[in-house]
Amino acid sequence: MNDFKGSTSGFRRRLVALTRKEFRQLMRDKSNLAIGIVLPIVLILIFGYGLSLDIRNTPLAVVMEDSSPSARGVVAKLESSDYFSVIRVTSMAEAQVLMDRRRVDGIVRVPADFSRRLERRDARLQLLLHGADANSAATLGRYVRGALNVWQQQQFDRAPAQSAGRVLVVERMWFNAANSSTWYLVPGLIALIMTLVGAFLTSLVLAREWERGTLESLFVTPVRSIEILLAKIIPYFLVGLVGLVMCLVSARLLFEVPIQGSLLLLLLSSMLYLLVTLGIGLLISAKTRNQFLASQIAIIFSFLPALMLSGFLFDLRNVPTFIRVVGSILPATYFMELVKTLFLAGNNWPLIAKNLAILTAYALLLLNAARMCTRKKLD
């Protein structure tokens, strides 16, 4: 028992001493503080105010409550368009499930009285849009209205005297009441900033120790590898939390982005993803042992893929299969989907559980790999 208490006490003392050393080093290195605290502010201002996106080829669910020839003609026109992929469903409940799971970005409902009201020249279609990406939703709305206008023009060309009046599209936006692309971009910035702070900064930590020769000095002491890694993780984990808080405050106060889901769950999932990025950075640092090389690898294999291939800028459903497969390997892809869902759609538990499980597996895998690569031995 005394040996166990002594071992625990020794572990605590060594960890506190190492962590204190890392904090002092972090405070002396102003460039790391600038990357961890100032750069997140710059990124959120640039992306929040200066970037707007437009995408295409969004999937569309169609609920046919009217099976008349006119209703089938409208749906056939939508199906013949190259702008969206039509998924026929039998009820609004089924369509809503697809929308909640982000398998479709819009719902067209053909009401049961469509053909009857078409004869009276006041027919209506209901269009529901997933507003998490406002630009994509707006584009989908334009495509649906454009396809409908083509169908009406064709009806008029065939029988001018008997053609019905215009069909009104009743449009409604889901998950983005402001119809703003900022609501889509700002939540995704959290994933980018967590990746930058976690992977880039920590990729320099062990490499710097190897270059200066201080790690060899630590290896001849009773300090264990796990204690070294924990001492490296704690300061940068706290820096990442500072960046996370700044993102959340900016999202609410500067851009008025709502948080529809659980704030606690958003914080916990962000902390989990931060551990994933810290594991990536430590693994890179342990394998390269060179600050310049480690920083380049961190940018190329973590930050840039998170920016380009995680769904932040481009919908992965609209890219080639190979790129989509690469994106599905990135942990940033799952956190990006998770954070946007919690911000804009709410607590979608099946999606949340799936993504949290994947991120947990990544965190365990990467941190354990970093520990294995930081064994006390000299090459």
Side-chain angles (χ1 to χ4, degrees):
M1 180 64 73
N2 291 333
D3 291 343
F4 176 76
K5 289 182 178 179
S7 176
T8 303
S9 176
F11 172 81
R12 187 184 305 112
R13 286 197 305 270
R14 292 190 297 268
L15 180 59
V16 170
L18 288 170
T19 304
R20 186 182 296 118
K21 177 185 78 72
E22 291 299 327
F23 269 114
R24 288 174 179 171
Q25 177 62 37
L26 177 61
M27 297 305 296
R28 285 197 299 265
D29 194 340
K30 305 302 181 185
S31 61
N32 282 352
L33 287 177
I35 294 175
I37 297 177
V38 178
L39 190 57
I41 298 176
V42 174
L43 284 176
I44 199 167
L45 292 176
I46 291 176
F47 281 95
Y49 286 116
L51 185 63
S52 180
L53 302 174
D54 193 14
I55 63 173
R56 62 185 181 87
N57 286 337
T58 48
L60 183 69
V62 174
V63 183
M64 287 194 63
E65 298 176 356
D66 185 350
S67 59
S68 66
S70 298
R72 292 198 301 270
V74 170
V75 175
K77 175 53 64 177
L78 295 176
E79 291 177 328
S80 66
S81 174
D82 294 331
Y83 291 117
F84 27 72
S85 177
V86 172
I87 302 174
R88 293 201 187 197
V89 295
T90 57
S91 67
M92 279 297 296
E94 184 180 352
Q96 185 173 345
V97 169
L98 294 177
M99 181 88 92
D100 288 340
R101 295 179 179 176
R102 200 63 197 277
R103 294 182 180 176
V104 299
D105 286 344
I107 302 172
V108 172
R109 174 175 170 263
V110 183
D113 61 350
F114 175 78
S115 59
R116 186 176 70 253
R117 298 188 66 164
L118 187 64
E119 295 176 355
R120 302 204 314 257
R121 300 175 182 257
D122 66 344
R124 297 188 177 191
L125 293 177
Q126 185 179 23
L127 174 62
L128 302 176
L129 302 173
H130 196 299
D133 180 354
N135 288 290
S136 176
T139 300
L140 178 58
R142 290 196 299 269
Y143 290 166
V144 170
R145 290 190 295 271
L148 187 58
N149 289 336
V150 171
W151 175 80
Q152 290 182 108
Q153 184 62 46
Q154 290 175 344
Q155 297 296 106
F156 179 80
D157 292 341
R158 290 170 184 166
Q162 300 178 0
S163 63
R166 290 183 60 83
V167 177
L168 176 65
V169 177
V170 181
E171 186 173 319
R172 180 185 172 192
M173 189 82 71
W174 281 7
F175 310 131
N176 192 340
N179 192 19
S180 171
S181 62
T182 301
W183 284 25
Y184 171 73
L185 294 173
V186 170
L189 276 177
I190 295 179
L192 291 186
I193 291 171
M194 294 296 99
T195 303
L196 181 66
V197 174
F200 182 75
L201 289 184
T202 54
S203 68
L204 306 178
V205 175
L206 287 176
R208 182 172 57 235
E209 299 276 7
W210 280 109
E211 287 184 350
R212 294 177 179 177
T214 55
L215 208 57
E216 288 92 334
S217 301
L218 287 176
F219 280 175
V220 299
T221 69
V223 173
R224 290 176 287 182
S225 299
I226 186 64
E227 295 165 356
I228 295 174
L229 288 179
L230 287 175
K232 305 293 183 186
I233 288 173
I234 292 172
Y236 293 96
F237 184 81
L238 295 178
V239 171
L241 290 183
V242 172
L244 171 62
V245 170
M246 289 191 300
C247 286
L248 294 177
V249 171
S250 300
R252 292 295 299 126
L253 299 184
L254 290 182
F255 305 106
E256 300 180 348
V257 182
I259 302 177
Q260 303 289 358
S262 168
L263 177 60
L264 177 61
L265 191 57
L266 178 60
L267 291 172
L268 291 176
S269 60
S270 300
M271 293 166 65
L272 177 60
Y273 180 68
L274 184 56
L275 289 176
V276 173
T277 60
L278 289 170
I280 293 173
L282 289 172
L283 181 59
I284 292 173
S285 188
K287 295 297 290 184
T288 59
R289 303 185 180 185
N290 179 280
Q291 290 189 77
F292 177 78
L293 180 59
S295 63
Q296 299 305 305
I297 292 177
I299 290 293
I300 294 174
F301 290 99
S302 62
F303 181 74
L304 288 180
L307 177 66
M308 304 297 294
L309 302 177
S310 67
F312 175 69
L313 290 178
F314 311 108
D315 192 334
L316 293 180
R317 292 169 298 189
N318 299 324
V319 300
T321 302
F322 173 75
I323 302 300
R324 188 163 59 249
V325 170
V326 173
S328 68
I329 299 174
L330 301 175
T333 301
Y334 302 99
F335 180 63
M336 191 76 68
E337 184 179 44
L338 181 58
V339 73
K340 287 183 178 180
T341 299
L342 288 172
F343 259 98
L344 300 175
N347 297 329
N348 188 334
W349 293 111
L351 184 146
I352 290 171
K354 180 197 73 172
N355 289 346
L356 283 179
I358 293 173
L359 291 177
T360 300
Y362 269 114
L364 294 174
L365 176 65
L366 291 167
L367 291 173
N368 188 61
R371 182 184 64 84
M372 296 295 293
C373 292
T374 317
R375 289 178 289 184
K376 294 179 64 175
K377 67 174 185 178
L378 299 178
D379 295 336

